[in-house]
Amino acid sequence: MSIKELFFVYTCIIVGLIMIITTQPVVFNTDIPLLGIALALLFFSQSVEIPIGGLVFNIKSFSMLYLLLFIRPESILILSIITLLVYIKDLRRFLFKVSFEVLQIGFGTLLFKASPNDYLKIISFAIGYMLSNVLVTIFYIKFFGKTNVKAYIRAFLLVFALSLFGSMILTTIYTFNEVKLSSLIFVSVLYSGFLIQLYYTVFSELWHKELTLEKEQIAREIENLKKLPEILEKSSKEDIDDVLQDVLATTCKLIGFEYALLSIFDFRSGKVTRISKYGIKDEDFEKLKQNRPDIKSTYVLMQQRFDVGGAYFIPNGSVDLSQSSIYRPSEYFKLEVENAWDPNDLFIVPLIYKNKTIGYISFDKPTNMLRPSKREIELAKFFAWQITRLLSESKYSVFFLSDYKKEQTYAFLMEEISKNIEFGKSFLIVYVDIDKFEKVNITHGFKAGDEMLQELRNISEEEIKNLGIFSQFNDELIMLLWSMSKSDGVLVAERIIEKFKRKYPDVSLSVSVVKYPTDAQTFDELLEKIKVALTTAKKSGGGRIVTL
């Protein structure tokens, strides 16, 4: 957390505690069974979510209002923090939530105790709690989320009004001359009915709204798709850079992203070249054009574990994106909903030309703040195909028509391993060896052995895809994979073994997989570990994969 965020958190907590302490006396309930029931109710309500005004709220605040009939607001604060401690694992988010809760309940408690009569106590708490919720959330969004506050005003007002109405229902218990079990049951049923009706009304409205949005989205897609032929027709008459910008703009408007960066691979220099953008400021784009990462450093973004039907979704924390010089817009607000887009997520669509990846489009900041849907992924792939076709007929084709060899000399491979260790980059070494290869040469001849090695090289080049390079050393193959997941190395090895077995069913392969720096910290230690793992595979009968 930044110093500004910590200051905000501590300020909210201190102000909230001051409001509670100044409302003497501070009283906590000690009835353990009652507190246990209250805690269970808060746990349940924490998990029940209702979408209101484009945001998702849980019904915990409504449960708090109901619990005020039985326990003190100070006790509710302690129980609420316990539920947050269980539900929220991220420390930053937990601190923000706790600071919100302390301030909201603190202000609610202040008004609760200042009420002149019992009838107004719950209503006053609701006003204090929801008013502070609105103010502190708007402040948070404005200064930390860096997004438009107006988009959330309607949702806040609706929740405020609903909480006020709910508190009025609960206060009807004070209209009875004497509070009996029957009157308590009556109010409880009335309040439960209100919440159930609210739940089903909201979701009915949501279903209707989803249908409306679906129609609007289809209409928008048709409108934008109609523009495509006109844009493509310009490619023969106008500058290709202008055409690419138009296609990117149409793509982003169609699939709902505010930023896009088009990059292609310059196989002559081994570098990534930025050629077009959408939503990115010109000065930022110029910096990106000057900062050209290596092609191999971007391959780590296109691992199989990130594959989402031909595109790649890289969740926050999966890869050190700073190494790949990825464009990052200024920090923006993350929705607290399932499938929410994190500001550090990344969505990449590769450009494929003749079965070779020649570049990619990276998208950021979806307009709905959700991760891309299946339809959005398919539409993005369609536009990526159109962009690839434009590039193949443009001045940029010279960048990717050159060959980027996956098979390298042994000396080059060793040098690449040393460089990666020097710069502290995580990678995998995969060692593949043909079991009893000497017997193959003796039984079938050296020509058959050479053909077998060539087949192994062909399969390896095909299966290594964009993950790295390899080299043959005698009857062994050594692969350098630019991946941080050992499972990627195992998957590549499994596919190589499977294809090799189809061609040579009586011959097996032994494979070892070692990861730097997890399994070894130096060049010599890395080679030693990979040989030890391979020896282990062979001594155990061969035809298997061994990882350390």
Side-chain angles (χ1 to χ4, degrees):
M1 295 182 73
S2 66
I3 295 175
K4 186 169 69 171
E5 289 176 330
L6 284 172
F7 179 77
F8 173 79
V9 167
Y10 290 140
T11 301
C12 289
I13 292 175
I14 291 169
V15 172
L17 290 176
I18 289 173
M19 286 190 285
I20 291 174
I21 293 169
T22 53
T23 56
Q24 295 291 341
V26 177
V27 181
F28 294 95
N29 293 85
T30 57
D31 187 337
I32 301 301
L34 179 61
L35 291 174
I37 294 171
L39 184 61
L41 179 61
L42 289 176
F43 269 119
F44 170 74
S45 58
Q46 179 82 30
S47 61
V48 179
E49 296 179 332
I50 301 178
I52 300 175
L55 296 179
V56 176
F57 299 84
N58 59 52
I59 63 169
K60 187 176 174 182
S61 59
F62 291 98
S63 295
M64 288 182 186
L65 296 178
Y66 179 73
L67 289 174
L68 287 173
L69 295 173
F70 308 97
I71 61 178
R72 303 284 294 181
E74 298 93 329
S75 299
I76 291 177
L77 173 60
I78 301 299
L79 297 177
S80 177
I81 292 175
I82 293 173
T83 62
L84 294 175
L85 188 63
V86 173
Y87 268 95
I88 302 176
K89 305 302 180 185
D90 180 69
L91 179 60
R92 177 180 177 275
R93 188 175 164 221
F94 172 74
L95 290 175
F96 270 114
K97 287 285 189 180
V98 168
S99 66
F100 278 34
E101 205 77 316
V102 173
L103 182 61
Q104 291 165 193
I105 293 179
F107 191 35
T109 303
L110 181 67
L111 297 185
F112 178 88
K113 293 185 178 180
S115 300
N117 56 62
D118 290 340
Y119 185 82
L120 295 174
K121 283 185 180 296
I122 297 178
I123 296 175
S124 299
F125 182 90
I127 292 173
Y129 185 93
M130 296 312 303
L131 185 61
S132 56
N133 174 272
V134 171
L135 294 175
V136 78
T137 305
I138 289 175
F139 184 89
Y140 172 79
I141 292 173
K142 185 173 180 60
F143 292 97
F144 298 105
K146 296 181 181 179
T147 189
N148 189 1
V149 177
K150 292 180 180 179
Y152 306 101
I153 294 295
R154 179 173 173 268
F156 293 144
L157 292 176
L158 280 171
V159 173
F160 187 95
L162 289 168
S163 298
L164 197 60
F165 183 73
S167 65
M168 290 177 180
I169 293 175
L170 292 171
T171 53
T172 56
I173 197 168
Y174 296 110
T175 61
F176 294 95
N177 294 326
E178 184 180 355
V179 178
K180 297 180 180 179
L181 180 61
S182 58
S183 56
L184 184 61
I185 292 173
F186 172 77
V187 172
S188 298
V189 171
L190 193 64
Y191 191 63
S192 300
F194 158 68
L195 292 179
I196 293 170
Q197 182 64 42
L198 172 65
Y199 185 85
Y200 282 104
T201 300
V202 166
F203 274 93
S204 297
E205 179 64 25
L206 182 66
W207 178 74
H208 176 72
K209 189 175 181 180
E210 284 178 349
L211 287 178
T212 305
L213 289 174
E214 187 82 9
K215 291 178 181 178
E216 291 175 356
Q217 184 177 0
I218 292 172
R220 188 174 68 250
E221 288 174 2
I222 293 172
E223 182 183 351
N224 282 283
L225 286 171
K226 283 180 178 178
K227 297 177 183 177
L228 188 59
E230 182 183 342
I231 295 171
L232 296 177
E233 191 178 342
K234 294 178 183 177
S235 61
S236 59
K237 304 173 185 177
E238 297 186 9
D239 182 69
I240 184 63
D241 293 324
D242 294 335
V243 175
L244 289 173
Q245 278 203 334
D246 288 343
V247 176
L248 270 186
T250 302
T251 307
C252 287
K253 290 173 183 176
L254 187 61
I255 66 175
F257 277 86
E258 293 188 23
Y259 300 96
L261 180 63
L262 174 59
S263 306
I264 60 172
F265 296 156
D266 184 354
F267 290 113
R268 302 169 304 175
S269 63
K271 297 285 187 179
V272 175
T273 301
R274 320 295 194 177
I275 61 172
S276 191
K277 50 87 176 178
Y278 173 76
I280 302 172
K281 294 178 180 178
D282 291 337
E283 55 267 31
D284 292 332
F285 185 55
E286 288 303 317
K287 290 177 184 177
L288 287 166
K289 287 168 73 174
Q290 293 170 13
N291 187 9
R292 300 177 63 200
D294 294 333
I295 293 174
K296 62 185 180 185
S297 69
T298 63
Y299 283 154
V300 74
L301 304 175
M302 302 182 194
Q303 300 176 43
Q304 187 173 9
R305 61 188 172 128
F306 300 137
D307 188 285
V308 285
Y312 299 94
F313 176 76
I314 301 94
N316 177 25
S318 302
V319 174
D320 183 5
L321 296 178
S322 62
Q323 294 182 6
S324 303
S325 304
I326 298 298
Y327 173 72
R328 279 277 172 246
S330 58
E331 186 182 355
Y332 48 89
F333 189 62
K334 177 187 175 182
L335 294 179
E336 300 295 342
V337 297
E338 187 180 357
N339 203 39
W341 175 277
D342 188 280
N344 290 314
D345 289 343
L346 189 64
F347 176 45
I348 282 182
V349 182
L351 306 176
I352 309 295
Y353 179 74
K354 294 185 177 179
N355 297 320
K356 181 169 77 170
T357 302
I358 62 165
Y360 59 90
I361 310 170
S362 57
F363 296 93
D364 209 328
K365 197 175 183 183
T367 53
N368 61 5
M369 295 309 299
L370 299 175
R371 293 179 176 183
S373 65
K374 185 176 180 181
R375 182 161 68 180
E376 288 164 349
I377 290 170
E378 291 301 319
L379 284 168
K381 285 163 57 182
F382 169 74
F383 277 92
W385 173 73
Q386 293 288 352
I387 288 173
T388 302
R389 194 169 66 83
L390 288 171
L391 290 172
S392 65
E393 300 171 356
S394 73
K395 60 185 179 183
Y396 293 113
S397 62
V398 67
F399 286 97
F400 54 81
L401 290 180
S402 304
D403 188 27
Y404 183 73
K405 293 178 63 179
K406 295 172 188 173
E407 183 175 4
Q408 301 288 346
T409 64
Y410 184 75
F412 180 85
L413 185 73
M414 293 297 108
E415 185 181 349
E416 281 295 301
I417 294 173
S418 298
K419 285 180 181 177
N420 279 271
I421 292 174
E422 181 183 350
F423 290 109
K425 293 184 177 180
S426 181
F427 62 89
L428 306 176
I429 296 293
V430 180
Y431 211 151
V432 184
D433 184 42
I434 302 175
D435 295 324
K436 301 177 182 178
F437 186 65
E438 298 83 359
K439 185 179 178 181
V440 173
N441 282 330
I442 294 171
T443 306
H444 302 286
F446 289 101
K447 184 179 179 181
D450 290 340
E451 290 176 355
M452 189 177 290
L453 284 172
Q454 182 60 49
E455 182 65 21
L456 180 59
R457 288 202 302 272
N458 293 341
I459 294 171
S460 299
E461 183 158 12
E462 182 181 342
E463 290 303 325
I464 204 170
K465 299 187 186 299
N466 296 320
L467 278 176
I469 55 176
F470 72 95
S471 179
Q472 180 187 338
F473 183 68
N474 296 328
D475 61 330
E476 301 164 343
L477 253 66
I478 305 177
M479 300 180 187
L480 166 61
L481 303 185
W482 300 301
S483 172
M484 292 193 295
S485 173
K486 196 178 286 188
S487 60
D488 284 329
V490 174
L491 286 171
V492 169
E494 287 176 345
R495 290 197 297 265
I496 291 173
I497 290 173
E498 182 185 350
K499 286 194 173 183
F500 189 82
K501 200 73 175 174
R502 292 178 197 165
K503 185 74 179 284
Y504 301 102
D506 299 327
V507 181
S508 62
L509 299 176
S510 290
V511 183
S512 57
V513 181
V514 173
K515 179 182 177 181
Y516 173 85
T518 306
D519 301 325
Q521 284 72 48
T522 66
F523 181 83
D524 292 335
E525 188 182 356
L526 190 69
L527 293 183
E528 181 184 348
K529 289 287 181 71
I530 198 75
K531 289 177 181 177
V532 168
L534 188 66
T535 302
T536 303
K538 285 186 168 296
K539 285 184 177 179
S540 58
R544 65 193 64 205
I545 302 168
V546 172
T547 62
L548 295 178

